[in-house]
């Protein structure tokens, strides 16, 4: 017959287990308390009143410029974009020399004198030396690094340290495609390109000086006077969008001629097309004019020199072929068609008529006979 003692022991044992479970739950709850939420550093939180005041003070003082209107003297990253062999490196070498010398102006734009670091990572050392043959700078004012380098964390750290130690005021890198090889999957890798640009921007911010990087433009770059410079960069379009500003260098006339068209767009930068001419005998650049009017005049000079209008009525396609702007059997691009028509519009020496050809209205041009 049962005495009840085992039941009491069982009940006592269950109570002990229950108490132990509660105690364990309590200890687990204390041990895994959710952490306090992370916060942005208090010292980096700035009231809107102070930010607005800072903006007004900058507006009153004016944006500091390394080259007026083209390169802000701030820790920012800019791209100079152009087709291969248009003359990016030649132009920037001359610009860097003007900055290093402390010239009063470059292409009629005020210049601030600083020490310049050139990262020539793409071209052969001999070619870099050849482009520099006309330089006239004092020793120590402009330094070349003529070896390959990547803009990864290690490479950026080396450049930053050199800038800080050498007290450089401008970093010029040639070229973007050479210094990001292996850092992106391919030239259309938008995520990789943005990550690369952001790393460079952070390095520029920390250094406190402008970085200018030249880059190759895409095959479909517009040559129109009102073309957007930001759309010119080859490959990942987001790379240009991530940069602080973009400068665009294009032919202004024949690819074999000395004239180039420069424009820019981005943070603080807004430069409508300006036309330059390059003197290969001394490496200098001279401003010819600004805006579409100078481009029209240059196009008119090409048309006039080609004799395209001297043989009677000529279509836009005939004129484009005569000036060498279109290959045989190829169609004239929309940008070139627009450039030719703009150059001929309201030109006093040119007569124009409109005819319907294959159901479409087409313009034809010829030179007016000189009046007595």
């Amino acid at each position: 017959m049962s005495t009840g003692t085992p039941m009491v022991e069982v009940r006592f044992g269950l109570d002990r287990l229950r108490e132990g479970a509660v105690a364990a739950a309590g200890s687990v709850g204390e041990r895994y308390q959710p952490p306090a939420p992370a916060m942005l550093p208090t010292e980096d939180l700035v009231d809107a009143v102070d930010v607005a005041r800072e903006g007004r003070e900058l507006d009153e003082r004016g944006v500091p410029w390394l080259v007026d209107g083209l390169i802000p003297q701030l820790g920012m990253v800019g791209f100079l974009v152009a087709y291969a062999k248009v003359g990016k490196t030649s132009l920037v070498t001359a610009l860097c020399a003007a900055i290093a010398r402390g010239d009063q102006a470059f292409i009629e734009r005020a210049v601030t004198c600083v020490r310049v670091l050139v990262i020539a990572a793409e071209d052969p050392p001999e070619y870099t030396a050849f482009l520099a043959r006309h330089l006239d700078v004092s020793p120590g004012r402009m330094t070349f690094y003529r070896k390959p380098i990547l803009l990864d964390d290690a490479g950026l750290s080396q450049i930053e340290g050199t800038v800080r130690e050498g007290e450089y005021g401008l970093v010029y890198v040639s070229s973007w495609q050479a210094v990001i090889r292996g850092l992106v999957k391919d030239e259309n890798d938008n995520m990789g390109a943005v990550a690369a640009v952001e790393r460079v921007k952070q390095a520029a911010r920390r250094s406190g000086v402008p970085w200018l990087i030249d880059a190759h433009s895409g095959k479909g770059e517009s040559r129109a006077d009102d073309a957007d410079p930001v759309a010119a960069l080859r490959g990942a379009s987001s790379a240009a969008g991530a940069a602080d500003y973009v400068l665009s260098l294009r032919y202004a006339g024949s690819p074999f001629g000395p004239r180039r068209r420069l424009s820019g767009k981005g943070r603080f930068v807004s430069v409508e097309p300006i036309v330059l001419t390059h003197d290969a005998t001394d490496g200098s650049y001279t401003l010819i004019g600004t805006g579409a009017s100078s481009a029209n005049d240059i196009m008119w000079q090409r048309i006039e020199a080609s004799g395209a209008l001297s043989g009677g009525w000529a279509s836009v396609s005939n004129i484009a072929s005569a000036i060498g702007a279109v290959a045989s059997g190829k169609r004239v691009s929309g940008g070139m068609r627009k450039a030719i028509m703009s150059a001929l519009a309201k030109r006093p020496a040119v007569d124009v008529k409109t005819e319907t050809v294959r159901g479409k209205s087409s313009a034809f041009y010829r030179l007016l006979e000189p009046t007595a």
Side-chain angles (χ1 to χ4, degrees), residues 54-90:
E54 181 182 341
R56 288 192 295 271
E57 290 172 354
L58 176 61
D59 186 42
E60 291 172 3
R61 293 193 310 269
V63 174
W65 293 100
L66 194 59
V67 179
D68 188 34
L70 284 177
I71 304 177
Q73 195 173 13
L74 300 166
M76 296 170 60
V77 174
F79 279 137
L80 173 63
V81 181
Y83 280 125
K85 309 305 180 279
V86 167
K88 300 182 296 292
T89 307
S90 298

Side-chain angles (χ1 to χ4, degrees), residues 187-190 216-218 233-238:
E187 67 178 11
N188 296 311
D189 178 9
N190 277 290
H216 302 309
S217 64
L233 182 65
R234 188 171 79 187
S237 58
S238 56

Side-chain angles (χ1 to χ4, degrees), residues 251-277:
Y251 292 119
S254 168
F256 301 99
R259 294 183 177 89
R260 299 293 183 267
R261 187 181 295 112
L262 179 67
S263 60
K265 195 69 179 174
R267 296 183 178 102
F268 297 121
V269 176
S270 183
V271 180
E272 293 189 11
I274 59 177
V275 180
L276 319 171
T277 185

Side-chain angles (χ1 to χ4, degrees), residues 138-152:
S138 300
R141 297 301 304 164
M142 185 172 173
T143 308
F144 286 84
Y145 181 81
R146 295 185 290 170
K147 291 186 176 181
I149 192 171
L150 291 179
L151 296 189
D152 54 11

